[in-house]
Amino acid sequence: MTETIYEAPRATATTGETIVTSTCGHNCGGRCVVNAHVSDGRIVHISTDARRWNPDHPPLPACARGVGQIERTYHPDRLKYPMRRSGPRGSGQYQRVSWDEALDTVANQMLRIRAEYGNAAILDASRTGSQSMLHGRVAAQRFLYMFGGCTDLWSNMSAEAEVFSVRITYGEKDYKSAGREPTDYVNSKLILMWGWSPGDGTFGTGTMQYLKHAKQNGTRIICVDPRVTMTSRQLADEHIFIRPSTDAAALIAMAYVIVSEQLHDQRYCDRYVHGLDEREVPPGASYKSYLLGLNDGQPKTPEWAAEITGIPAATIRRLAVEFASTKPAAIQAGYAAGRTSYGEQFHRAAYALAAITGNVGVRGGGSGVSNGATGRAGIKSLPIGKNPIEAKVASPLLADLLARGKAGGYPADIRMIYSSGGDLFNQCPNAGKLAASLDNVEFIVAQDHFLTPTARLADILLPATTFWERNDVHTPWSGAGHYAIYMRQAIEPMYECRNDIDIFNELSRRLGIHGYNDRSETEWLKELTADAVGDFDSFAEQGVARFSAPPDAVAFAKQIRDPAHHKFATPSGKIEIYSTVLAEQPNPYGLGVIPPIPTWFAADDDRQRFPLSLCTPKSRARTHSIHGNQPGLARVDPDTVWMHPQDAAARGIKHGQRVRVFNDIGATELPAQVTDRIAPGVVSIKEGAWYTPGANGVDSKGSANVLTTDRAAPSGATTYNTNQVQIEPV
């Protein structure tokens, strides 16, 4: 494609019906077409893009969650009116108030807290539950920054280990532009999918179709994962089980085989890679020295890694040889293995493997980065400005921030929390500690669609519109095509719900903030899309704008093709297996030392009392905690704890039996799913189930985060997949 194409991916409306195109405003990784069939002002049906799949011009079909939006929109539990808490915090007892009373209360509390404690005492707990270019979290950030600032949770809860590793290894600040397009999958002779399951997590609309297309054209696919995922079941020629949190060890051992058997691409490394050998780094500091054990006396052999990972040494050796000798080969390193106690080491080891085999920047190869948007559309989001104060905390430390505040070395004691489209009390680690650490928090505002586990703790509830009740624009973030979807309003705002940006504008008036919103919805959307969309009226009418693909489908292709004029944005100008930045500043965030080269570290967990390793994968019935209250959609992927038959038998547990999963910080109950699709010694609970503690403090709905520890990896990443548990029958 050489120019923008505007298209309407919907059927022709019948008599008395209007069909409106939009997309789910949620953070699933897809950006799919959902069409609302509206009759008499009500959505009566949802359809999607039904065109036949074409790799050159693919359709944008929605999953069950997209079709399930009708259940969500008309759910009887929608927040309908502003409400004030009338019972103990967490009781769910509220009384209806007017918008004026609710907004006056919020404004007065904000002014009081700022005057008494300063802006850092206000925490922005907004997130991506309502996500788009104009409405949602950006509206909250703009408001709070114009109010004088707030404490920010700075790290990406999904992918901070990758964000950090991309910047350190490749010098690329936009981690979403550091991978490759799905159109390039077909050019790979081998794809090594490591902790990456787009069949469960919808990692880009159409990603699975592109992978199937590659497989049909001869690409060999190997999956490495503690579980046989939906992706592995459908696509894998081979599945390799691995223990959670040990992925870096396996990748390092593969690099050992490749380097020790001289299977690496030395010529490529000489030209583009910094730190494989000693030529450009201090003596003994190279990756090769570490692999061979020249300094610590421990060669990183497959036998060494087998004890750690549970993968047989012969399998590690065979996988290494196959990856090095198959040209081109690509490793797709997902987020999951980076959500561990040293998650940055996994990503850096994956990128090192791609580099030493000469696959970075090569058609059919890749950088090892899971995202693929090598060219962005140029559509902007609502400008948020800059936080006027320096008050930042790594997201996984939220529970500890609330519990200890200044006494724990944090920027402030949090006195107020504003949550717009966020459910952090459910989605951050250690949900029990979060709920128990609110004694000093004087005021909480929740602006949302439902009484979520977070909203249940609020003092004031503000009912927000869903994406069907307003206009907006959205783009894909994981690289499956270059397009934007106009999110046309389908129905009038329900009950007394208001748009996020309008709520913040009303608060701004009360707080004396000038210039928060001086444009109409359409004026904003025209401005935000002006650099990409030439015909806004056609875009808004048709629904989808498709843009030209970038010249290269693989990131860093121009650096490899023309290194004289296009260097990597690292200090050395090369792919840095040895990070010169970390050599100078090994503890960049004060969260732990990160060596200059990819290095194996073992998690320090109590495996004696809690012998089962917990992983927390995505649910096909939810986007994080969104849809967590929809019984119809829940049937798509019921909440269970997966257990290997050996582990179940050792505990006297039968398939379908209700069990208690517990460790030192919490416990939850849910049915056991006894299956050989998970490695022995590993259990899994899908993240996002709503935290519902009983009188005894035990969660009854299978909330994974009652079991996850509130700690950060040295890079600031979450550690959802480094946790040990025990299981017993209820």
Side-chain angles (χ1 to χ4, degrees):
M1 284 184 268
T2 57
E3 59 184 22
T4 302
I5 296 174
Y6 303 100
E7 56 191 28
R10 54 184 179 263
T12 302
T14 60
T15 302
E17 175 188 64
T18 302
I19 304 179
V20 175
T21 293
S22 187
T23 186
C24 300
H26 307 318
N27 193 18
C28 67
R31 198 58 59 220
C32 315
V33 166
V34 286
N35 296 313
H37 296 241
V38 181
S39 181
D40 295 327
R42 183 179 176 88
I43 301 172
V44 296
H45 176 63
I46 291 177
S47 64
T48 188
D49 190 344
R51 291 173 293 179
R52 184 186 297 273
W53 193 76
N54 176 352
D56 297 320
H57 194 92
L60 305 169
C63 70
R65 289 169 290 192
V67 178
Q69 291 291 348
I70 195 167
E71 181 186 17
R72 186 172 191 271
T73 303
Y74 295 109
H75 197 292
D77 293 342
R78 275 283 301 268
L79 292 179
K80 301 177 177 65
Y81 321 104
M83 291 192 286
R84 180 199 298 274
R85 179 166 61 83
S86 58
R89 183 168 281 167
S91 66
Q93 298 174 20
Y94 289 89
Q95 63 182 24
R96 181 177 175 180
V97 297
S98 69
W99 268 105
D100 281 340
E101 182 178 347
L103 294 173
D104 286 346
T105 300
V106 173
N108 290 336
Q109 289 291 334
M110 291 185 71
L111 290 169
R112 178 187 68 80
I113 288 168
R114 182 175 67 177
E116 291 184 20
Y117 306 110
N119 279 82
I122 301 172
L123 174 73
D124 178 17
S126 306
R127 270 307 190 262
T128 55
S130 188
Q131 185 186 39
S132 44
M133 297 294 105
L134 179 59
H135 301 287
R137 190 187 181 195
V138 287
Q141 290 174 302
R142 178 180 175 89
F143 166 70
L144 290 169
Y145 293 174
M146 292 181 78
F147 183 65
C150 57
T151 291
D152 268 332
L153 298 172
W154 65 264
S155 61
N156 184 311
M157 291 174 66
S158 292
E160 191 61 37
E162 178 164 276
V163 173
F164 175 85
S165 300
V166 165
R167 188 171 69 249
I168 288 296
T169 306
Y170 297 115
E172 176 60 58
K173 294 181 180 179
D174 181 10
Y175 76 109
K176 290 178 180 177
S177 296
R180 63 177 181 148
E181 300 291 317
T183 54
D184 188 59
Y185 296 161
V186 71
N187 298 318
S188 301
K189 291 186 178 179
L190 171 66
I191 296 178
L192 183 56
M193 301 175 64
W194 205 298
W196 185 62
S197 181
D200 291 286
T202 316
F203 211 89
T205 303
T207 297
M208 284 294 285
Q209 286 76 15
Y210 276 109
L211 288 166
K212 290 175 181 177
H213 178 62
K215 185 176 176 65
Q216 290 165 0
N217 283 271
T219 302
R220 175 167 158 78
I221 296 176
I222 300 174
C223 288
V224 181
D225 202 286
R227 308 160 65 246
V228 177
T229 62
M230 290 297 291
T231 306
S232 185
R233 290 185 81 177
Q234 295 181 49
L235 297 174
D237 296 286
E238 180 181 4
H239 185 95
I240 298 172
F241 286 107
I242 188 171
R243 293 177 187 138
S245 300
T246 68
D247 307 87
L251 291 164
I252 288 168
M254 288 175 65
Y256 168 88
V257 172
I258 291 168
V259 170
S260 64
E261 298 186 15
Q262 298 183 20
L263 299 174
H264 60 292
D265 190 331
Q266 187 63 54
R267 186 175 179 183
Y268 180 100
C269 291
D270 289 344
R271 195 171 189 186
Y272 305 112
V273 178
H274 177 79
L276 174 62
D277 49 40
E278 312 293 322
R279 289 171 306 143
E280 300 170 309
V281 301
S286 71
Y287 194 40
K288 184 175 182 180
S289 293
Y290 174 70
L291 296 175
L292 299 179
L294 300 183
N295 292 328
D296 61 8
Q298 175 59 69
K300 309 309 179 294
T301 64
E303 289 73 20
W304 164 82
E307 290 293 317
I308 297 168
T309 65
I311 304 175
T315 301
I316 296 173
R317 180 171 284 103
R318 173 175 56 81
L319 188 61
V321 171
E322 182 175 1
F323 189 79
S325 58
T326 304
K327 302 287 187 178
I331 179 170
Q332 298 284 144
Y335 294 165
R339 297 180 184 132
T340 52
S341 55
Y342 298 95
E344 62 280 345
Q345 301 303 338
F346 158 72
H347 288 289
R348 295 179 66 210
Y351 306 163
L353 196 71
I356 67 174
T357 53
N359 280 301
V360 177
V362 173
R363 187 170 178 260
S367 61
V369 176
S370 58
N371 285 288
T374 59
R376 305 302 293 276
I379 289 178
K380 299 186 288 287
S381 61
L382 180 71
I384 63 174
K386 186 178 184 298
N387 192 346
I389 62 173
E390 287 293 326
K392 296 183 178 181
V393 177
S395 300
L397 301 179
L398 174 58
D400 200 53
L401 163 66
L402 295 178
R404 299 198 295 151
K406 286 183 177 179
Y410 295 105
D413 296 318
I414 300 302
R415 304 295 183 179
M416 175 181 170
I417 297 173
Y418 203 119
S419 174
S420 173
D423 194 12
L424 289 185
F425 292 148
N426 197 78
Q427 294 305 107
C428 271
N430 206 340
K433 181 178 176 180
L434 277 165
S437 300
L438 298 175
D439 289 349
N440 293 323
V441 179
E442 300 174 9
F443 191 66
I444 301 176
V445 183
Q447 187 168 306
D448 216 315
H449 306 136
F450 295 99
L451 195 65
T452 65
T454 298
R456 182 173 286 273
L457 298 167
D459 298 285
I460 290 289
L461 298 173
L462 303 177
T465 54
T466 66
F467 65 86
W468 290 123
E469 299 158 68
R470 60 200 187 201
N471 294 293
D472 217 316
V473 170
H474 219 338
T475 60
W477 61 251
S478 56
H482 301 275
Y483 61 93
I485 298 180
Y486 189 87
M487 304 169 72
R488 180 177 286 277
Q489 182 176 341
I491 56 176
E492 290 299 312
M494 296 178 65
Y495 313 111
E496 290 188 12
C497 298
R498 293 186 180 181
N499 296 341
D500 292 304
I501 197 168
D502 295 332
I503 295 171
F504 290 123
N505 198 46
E506 284 294 311
L507 285 171
S508 295
R509 284 197 312 103
R510 287 165 165 82
L511 295 169
I513 297 172
H514 301 289
Y516 175 79
N517 182 22
D518 55 1
R519 270 156 275 195
S520 69
E521 208 173 43
T522 299
E523 288 170 338
W524 269 120
L525 295 176
K526 282 184 176 180
E527 179 178 326
L528 299 177
T529 60
D531 292 343
V533 174
D535 186 344
F536 181 84
D537 291 339
S538 292
F539 175 42
E541 175 61 32
Q542 298 289 89
V544 174
R546 297 213 186 232
F547 310 116
S548 300
D552 295 303
V554 180
F556 310 121
K558 62 184 180 182
Q559 285 91 333
I560 301 304
R561 186 170 54 243
D562 186 8
H565 297 94
H566 300 283
K567 296 186 180 298
F568 288 88
T570 57
S572 67
K574 296 182 177 182
I575 303 166
E576 291 203 353
I577 294 179
Y578 177 96
S579 169
T580 53
V581 172
L582 290 174
E584 294 179 4
Q585 191 177 9
N587 190 353
Y589 305 125
L591 298 172
V593 170
I594 308 175
I597 57 172
T599 305
W600 161 248
F601 293 98
D604 184 20
D605 284 338
D606 187 350
R607 294 175 177 269
Q608 294 298 315
R609 290 190 301 143
F610 306 109
L612 299 172
S613 298
L614 174 68
C615 57
T616 60
K618 298 286 174 267
S619 169
R620 289 176 287 115
R622 289 189 297 270
T623 300
H624 303 302
S625 68
I626 298 168
H627 305 295
N629 61 339
Q630 292 181 229
L633 191 55
R635 290 193 289 269
V636 171
D637 197 4
D639 284 304
T640 59
V641 54
W642 283 24
M643 301 182 68
H644 190 273
Q646 293 176 10
D647 298 317
R651 292 161 176 79
I653 293 170
K654 305 293 185 183
H655 180 78
Q657 182 176 2
R658 194 163 180 83
V659 298
R660 177 174 176 262
V661 188
F662 64 97
N663 56 20
D664 271 342
I665 63 170
T668 187
E669 295 180 0
L670 71 173
Q673 182 169 339
V674 181
T675 174
D676 60 4
R677 288 175 56 192
I678 193 164
V682 181
V683 297
S684 75
I685 299 175
K686 292 179 283 288
E687 62 93 20
W690 286 18
Y691 174 48
T692 310
N696 61 354
V698 175
D699 171 70
S700 61
K701 297 294 186 182
S703 175
N705 280 331
V706 302
L707 303 164
T708 55
T709 306
D710 54 315
R711 60 185 167 190
S715 61
T718 52
T719 63
Y720 294 123
N721 292 322
T722 303
N723 292 281
Q724 296 297 122
V725 299
Q726 181 59 286
I727 300 182
E728 62 186 12
V730 172

